[in-house]
Amino acid sequence: MIAIGSDHGGFELKTHIINHLKEKGLEIKDFGCYDENSVDYPDIAQAVAASITGGECENGILICGTGIGISIAANKINGIRAAHCHDVYSAEMTKRHNNANIICMGGRVVGRELAFMIVDAWLGAEFEGGRHQNRIDKIHALES
Ligand code: RB5
């Protein structure tokens, strides 16, 4: 299951990404927001992150206006590796090397077709493990 969430700045792009992923037959859980009324992105980041750290969802997609605030918030939560990506190469590499369990984008920055390519590249890539797992262990050691 893929968790997805946005604030009002990412709401429109989130709707397109949900449709794109559903067309591919993927299971999605939407943690809001559910319209364009103003909300606080840390609340959405927290809900999506908790679904991953709690085991309900495997990974997540977070969208705000720039993708920056929601990624900063998500990365405050132990166990989360949220990657702010606006290009396809970084999206693929952040799965292969960082095993990012959340990808973040700006709904006011990327167009929908590029966003679909970014999400597809990230979901389609495999974590390489090995020396990269050692580095991830060091990242999480910083949490304590
Ligand atoms: C909301 O206006 C905007 O600040 C938010 O979506 C995001 O871009 C913050 O980083």
Side-chain angles (χ1 to χ4, degrees), residues 7-9 41 64-70 108:
D7 74 354
H8 50 290
Y41 56 78
C64 66
T66 60
I68 296 171
I70 211 157
R108 296 171 181 158

Side-chain angles (χ1 to χ4, degrees), residues 55-117:
E56 181 188 8
C57 294
E58 209 176 309
N59 46 38
I61 299 166
L62 285 171
I63 310 163
C64 66
T66 60
I68 296 171
I70 211 157
S71 63
I72 292 171
N75 278 314
K76 296 291 182 193
I77 295 158
N78 288 359
I80 292 301
R81 296 175 303 282
H84 180 224
C85 285
H86 284 155
D87 69 274
V88 174
Y89 175 78
S90 299
E92 178 183 331
M93 295 311 291
T94 199
K95 178 64 77 63
R96 286 173 55 182
H97 286 190
N98 316 123
N99 202 15
N101 49 14
I102 294 182
I103 197 159
C104 305
M105 289 178 287
R108 296 171 181 158
V109 181
V110 283
R112 88 174 70 155
E113 293 298 332
L114 176 56
F116 295 165
M117 291 173 73

